[in-house]
């Protein structure tokens, strides 16, 4: 699992919710001192909202393959949704919320508590949960865009990890929430986002494994809701929360 901690003041630039194939547990403290735990499922398209002051926000990305183990729900039921953790963990979520509230504005301690709680659930996974997660993780690496360009095809990946393509799709629906092809697509877009402004568009498209720049532009526009040029220029479709 990976953790990110941040706080922010009101900013003239919009807050960008980039597409993300990961499921995330978020702890957010508000200006009045209250806090809330929410589970953010995989996000299939970008969203843009006006920024607002956030005293403290900690995000923990769940290790791929372990969403059902950690939350007790199939990842496909979390796609493009944000749920209070209480709906999934009931009293355990309330106890964790109280513990985090008692810590106050100490991000390191709060992050440590979140990580320890999630790690304990992963350690309690059944053997089949571990084997399922290990297989999905191996497939995810092969489906992700790397320095060599385009990821492998879904059929090739299924063969390489020793399962049928149908079984691989079923595993991804349960543990990731997305079909393998869509998982690869979102990771490719995220690779483009990381390199935007650092390479010419044509070179970026080639390095990310697209057929050409127009292919990248069409894919980017569908997922990000704007063209690469509009995104780079800050011309974003901001929608109030």
């Amino acid at each position: 699992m990976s953790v990110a901690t941040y706080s922010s003041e009101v900013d003239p630039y919009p807050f960008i919710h980039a597409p993300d194939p990961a499921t995330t547990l978020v702890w957010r403290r508000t200006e009045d001192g209250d806090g809330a735990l929410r589970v953010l499922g995989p996000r299939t398209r970008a969203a843009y909202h006006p920024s607002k002051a956030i005293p403290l926000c900690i995000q923990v990305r769940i290790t791929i393959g372990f969403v059902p183990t950690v939350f007790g729900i199939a990842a496909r039921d979390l796609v493009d949704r944000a749920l209070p953790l209480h709906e999934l963990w009931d009293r355990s979520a309330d106890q964790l919320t109280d513990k985090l509230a008692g810590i106050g504005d100490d991000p390191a301690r709060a992050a440590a508590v979140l990580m320890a709680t999630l790690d304990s659930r992963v350690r309690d996974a059944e053997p089949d949960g571990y084997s399922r997660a290990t297989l999905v993780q191996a497939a995810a690496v092969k489906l992700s865009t790397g320095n060599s360009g385009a990821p492998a095809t879904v059929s090739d990946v299924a063969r390489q990890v020793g399962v049928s393509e149908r079984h691989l799709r079923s595993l991804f629906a349960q543990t990731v929430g997305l079909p393998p092809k869509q998982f690869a697509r979102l990771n490719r877009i995220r690779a483009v986002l990381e390199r935007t402004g650092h390479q010419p568009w044509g070179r970026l498209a080639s390095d990310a494994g697209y057929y050409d720049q127009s292919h990248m532009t069409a894919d980017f526009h569908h997922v990000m809701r704007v063209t690469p040029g509009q995104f780079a220029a800050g011309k974003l479709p901001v929608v109030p929360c």
Side-chain angles (χ1 to χ4, degrees), residues 101-225:
I103 290 173
D105 294 325
D106 186 333
R109 287 183 60 199
V113 167
L114 284 172
M115 290 292 286
T117 302
L118 295 171
D119 284 343
S120 69
R121 288 187 170 246
V122 170
R123 287 195 300 271
D124 291 340
E126 298 293 332
D128 63 335
Y130 271 105
S131 60
R132 177 182 60 199
T134 299
L135 190 152
V136 169
Q137 288 165 17
V141 170
K142 298 178 184 298
L143 287 165
S144 298
T145 300
N147 293 330
S148 58
T153 65
V154 175
S155 58
D156 285 344
V157 170
R159 184 171 60 254
Q160 290 169 22
V161 299
V163 298
S164 69
E165 189 173 341
R166 180 178 180 180
H167 186 56
L168 185 64
R169 288 197 299 267
S170 176
L171 284 175
F172 264 72
Q174 184 180 10
T175 66
V176 180
L178 307 173
K181 188 173 182 179
Q182 189 175 19
F183 172 86
R185 182 187 196 186
L186 294 187
N187 271 325
R188 188 184 294 189
I189 290 294
R190 289 174 67 84
V192 170
L193 289 173
E194 290 176 359
R195 303 171 190 175
T196 296
H198 301 289
Q199 291 177 283
W201 294 120
R203 172 67 183 278
L204 200 161
S206 176
D207 286 353
Y210 288 100
Y211 299 125
D212 53 29
Q213 184 175 336
S214 62
H215 179 206
M216 180 190 73
T217 298
D219 202 33
F220 191 99
H221 185 271
H222 177 80
V223 175
M224 297 300 297
R225 305 178 188 268

Side-chain angles (χ1 to χ4, degrees), residues 6 8-17 28 47-54 236-241:
Y6 69 89
S8 66
E9 302 295 334
V10 176
D11 194 291
Y13 298 101
F15 186 83
I16 301 171
H17 296 270
R28 179 180 292 177
Y48 309 89
H49 300 294
S51 68
K52 56 185 177 181
I54 300 175
L236 309 176
V238 179
V239 177
C241 295

Side-chain angles (χ1 to χ4, degrees), residues 43-99:
R43 188 166 44 250
T44 59
R45 298 188 73 190
Y48 309 89
H49 300 294
S51 68
K52 56 185 177 181
I54 300 175
L56 176 63
C57 182
I58 300 173
Q59 299 181 344
V60 183
R61 289 165 63 88
I62 307 304
T63 301
I64 191 168
F66 282 109
V67 168
T69 298
V70 170
F71 295 120
I73 188 174
R76 61 176 167 266
D77 295 327
L78 294 170
V79 177
D80 289 323
R81 299 180 67 193
L83 298 177
L85 183 62
H86 176 84
E87 291 189 16
L88 304 178
W89 285 7
D90 198 28
R91 289 185 60 190
S92 294
D94 297 336
Q95 291 168 354
L96 179 57
T97 299
D98 291 342
K99 189 172 185 178

